[in-house]
């Protein structure tokens, strides 16, 4: 039995529980000290989102800046670079009267790292931070701010990005899942969890629901397998 993780094994109700700033400092509750990460995470989301992850950013924004604080100041999204198969990030250009005032990006850490001008050593440190958050069962998102420009390129790679921070989001496991997995095992049914999250995140969730957390196969490993191995 192959099952998706998000929204099937989990509630698909996300909450930000950890933020790591560009220096590598971890904040698990004091988000008032992570204004820039939250701010750009909000601007890299829709104003009234349906996506649970973006709802979590909006919620955190209200906690940090106040329910009645207007971060947008009348600006709207005037251009969006959407998520694509070979570009796992979203870039929002906010402005008034078609004039850009702020540009924000969020997405898979490896994608944001590729877009930002960072050294190999710094990237290695931040990749370790990603694994640290993922090992706790969190979904990890990277946030970046983008240098303002009046001439918006068709290719987002031509924009200039500054890394702002990493965000760890928790998605609670559905209460009935561990028992359901147990019943499947008793019935001789092998359960396989499929997810686009990091292997460390998947392993943590697998352990919580009663699956073998030591047997994790990444997409690249799966592609390299023979039909017999699969």
């Amino acid at each position: 039995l192959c099952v998706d993780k998000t929204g099937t094994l989990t509630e698909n109700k996300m909450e930000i529980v950890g933020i790591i700033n560009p220096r590598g400092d971890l904040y698990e509750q004091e988000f008032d000290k992570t204004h820039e990460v939250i701010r750009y995470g909000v601007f890299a989301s829709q104003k009234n989102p349906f996506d649970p992850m973006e709802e979590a950013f909006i919620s955190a924004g209200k906690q940090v800046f106040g329910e009645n604080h207007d971060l947008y100041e009348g600006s709207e999204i005037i251009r969006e670079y959407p998520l694509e198969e070979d570009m796992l990030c979203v870039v929002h250009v906010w402005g008034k009267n078609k004039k850009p005032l702020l540009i924000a990006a969020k997405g898979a850490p490896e994608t944001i790292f590729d877009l930002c001008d960072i050294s190999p050593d710094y990237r290695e440190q931040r990749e370790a931070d990603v694994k640290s958050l993922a090992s706790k069962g969190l979904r990890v998102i990277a946030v970046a701010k983008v240098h303002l420009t009046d001439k918006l390129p068709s290719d987002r790679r031509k924009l200039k990005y500054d890394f702002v921070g990493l965000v760890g989001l928790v998605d609670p496991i559905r209460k009935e899942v561990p028992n359901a997995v147990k019943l499947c095992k008793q019935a001789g049914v092998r359960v396989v969890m499929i997810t686009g999250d990091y292997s460390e995140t998947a392993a943590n969730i697998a352990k919580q629901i009663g699956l073998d957390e030591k047997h994790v196969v990444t997409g690249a490993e799966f592609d390299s397998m023979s039909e017999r191995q699969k």
Side-chain angles (χ1 to χ4, degrees):
L1 175 63
C2 296
V3 295
D4 181 37
K5 177 180 75 66
T6 304
T8 303
L9 300 178
T10 64
E11 295 180 2
N12 202 22
K13 296 178 181 178
M14 295 192 176
E15 177 186 358
I16 295 175
V17 294
I19 292 176
I20 295 179
N21 67 15
R23 296 187 302 273
D25 302 322
L26 171 64
Y27 296 89
E28 295 181 304
Q29 292 180 334
E30 301 170 331
F31 294 153
D32 58 319
K33 297 180 180 179
T34 62
H35 280 205
E36 190 172 50
V37 184
I38 296 296
R39 182 169 183 256
Y40 279 92
V42 168
F43 278 106
S45 305
Q46 297 289 336
K47 270 189 179 180
N48 299 295
F50 293 99
D51 180 77
M53 180 174 64
E54 295 199 342
E55 288 179 341
F57 275 102
I58 300 301
S59 177
K62 291 178 180 178
Q63 292 174 30
V64 171
F65 298 103
E67 286 280 349
N68 298 319
H69 185 82
D70 182 14
L71 267 178
Y72 306 105
E73 297 181 340
S75 63
E76 299 288 342
I77 296 175
I78 60 175
R79 174 140 187 196
E80 178 179 14
Y81 297 83
L83 190 74
E84 296 178 357
E85 186 176 349
D86 62 343
M87 186 55 63
L88 300 178
C89 74
V90 172
V91 180
H92 285 169
V93 181
W94 292 78
K96 295 179 182 178
N97 300 318
K98 298 183 179 181
K99 178 178 176 57
L101 298 175
L102 182 145
I103 309 176
K106 75 175 188 312
E110 60 269 22
T111 300
I112 296 297
F113 293 158
D114 287 342
L115 292 170
C116 294
D117 184 17
I118 57 178
S119 69
D121 287 344
Y122 183 80
R123 176 167 181 152
E124 186 176 340
Q125 293 170 7
R126 300 292 74 81
E127 286 175 342
D129 291 335
V130 171
K131 289 185 177 180
S132 176
L133 291 173
S135 67
K136 300 176 183 179
L138 305 181
R139 171 171 287 187
V140 187
I141 297 295
V143 178
K145 60 181 178 181
V146 185
H147 295 205
L148 269 179
T149 175
D150 288 329
K151 296 181 179 179
L152 298 171
S154 58
D155 186 347
R156 77 190 78 190
R157 294 178 182 86
K158 294 182 179 179
L159 294 167
K160 293 184 179 180
Y161 299 77
D162 289 331
F163 175 70
V164 170
L166 297 170
V167 178
L169 301 102
V170 66
D171 184 6
I173 293 169
R174 293 184 184 274
K175 295 179 180 179
E176 64 271 21
V177 166
N179 190 52
V181 170
K182 183 179 180 180
L183 289 174
C184 285
K185 285 185 175 181
Q186 292 173 346
V189 176
R190 179 188 175 206
V191 179
V192 176
M193 178 178 67
I194 301 175
T195 178
D197 277 338
Y198 280 92
S199 56
E200 291 84 1
T201 303
N204 182 284
I205 298 298
K207 184 177 181 180
Q208 292 184 54
I209 64 175
L211 295 180
D212 179 11
E213 77 277 13
K214 296 180 181 179
H215 190 195
V216 177
V217 178
T218 66
E221 291 170 342
F222 184 81
D223 287 340
S224 67
M225 289 179 176
S226 66
E227 288 299 319
R228 186 169 184 177
Q229 288 176 313
K230 293 176 181 179

